[in-house]
Amino acid sequence: ENVAYGLKLRGTPRAERQRRSRELLDTLGLTGFARAFPAKLSEGMRQRVAIARAFAVDAPLLLMDEPLSALDFQTKIAVQGELLALWRERRCTILYVTHDIDEALALADRVTVLTGRPGRARDTVTVPFARPRDYAGLRAEAGYPELFQRLYRGLEP
């Protein structure tokens, strides 16, 4: 029901809401937890539910504000892969906010570094690395250290 909530608000018929929700829960590895209450889910599972809920409505634009920041490293890498799989399938635009440079380079096609208040674009770079990308392989890419340093320097006050 959590995943289907946005569909319910849109008036999507119950059978369609259930089908889409099940499909997303399967994709995100939550098949056996469809009836579990949020308090019974790990933080990683809750994040997967939130991602499923966002993708369920098939919006052309998603805003994700640090959706993986509370996850441990291994779970974060796994959920990044699942997020990318959903994006490849749906091809919506995602405006993704993160403070993690590696995460930005793994997920994004373009990265914009913002200043403090008032927020302004300090630097924007096109990520030159081919897709599909994986976290471990990304660091071995030619030009990765220089691009990481450019973005890191952009964060300085």
Side-chain angles (χ1 to χ4, degrees):
E1 290 178 16
N2 194 320
V3 173
Y5 185 69
L7 295 170
K8 184 177 182 178
L9 292 177
R10 286 187 168 184
T12 304
R14 182 177 176 86
E16 177 65 9
R17 290 193 315 256
Q18 289 177 334
R19 184 193 66 73
R20 285 166 117 178
S21 296
R22 257 187 253 108
E23 176 186 297
L24 285 161
L25 290 173
D26 289 347
T27 299
L28 291 165
L30 294 170
T31 304
F33 297 91
R35 297 258 178 235
F37 285 94
K40 299 293 182 184
L41 301 176
S42 70
E43 187 63 33
M45 291 172 159
R46 286 186 214 147
Q47 289 304 117
R48 286 179 168 109
V49 169
I51 290 168
R53 186 175 52 246
F55 275 95
V57 295
D58 286 325
L61 173 67
L62 294 178
L63 172 59
M64 296 187 154
D65 188 0
E66 297 199 65
L68 309 181
S69 63
L71 303 181
D72 64 81
F73 180 77
Q74 288 176 306
T75 304
K76 184 183 222 180
I77 299 307
V79 175
Q80 281 179 7
E82 293 161 354
L83 177 61
L84 284 172
L86 281 169
W87 172 78
R88 278 192 302 272
E89 178 185 313
R90 310 281 170 116
R91 290 296 183 177
C92 60
T93 298
I94 300 174
L95 180 60
Y96 193 95
V97 177
T98 182
H99 289 88
D100 185 326
I101 296 171
D102 286 321
E103 185 172 74
L105 292 174
L107 298 176
D109 292 321
R110 270 189 322 238
V111 176
T112 298
V113 176
L114 300 177
T115 65
R117 290 187 182 142
R120 303 234 192 285
R122 176 174 283 169
D123 191 10
T124 298
V125 297
T126 299
V127 178
F129 312 123
R131 291 193 182 275
R133 295 181 206 138
D134 66 55
Y135 189 85
L138 181 64
R139 290 180 171 212
E141 292 280 349
Y144 172 84
E146 293 81 9
L147 187 53
F148 184 97
Q149 285 300 315
R150 176 178 170 181
L151 294 171
Y152 182 78
R153 282 191 306 275
L155 296 174
E156 295 173 349

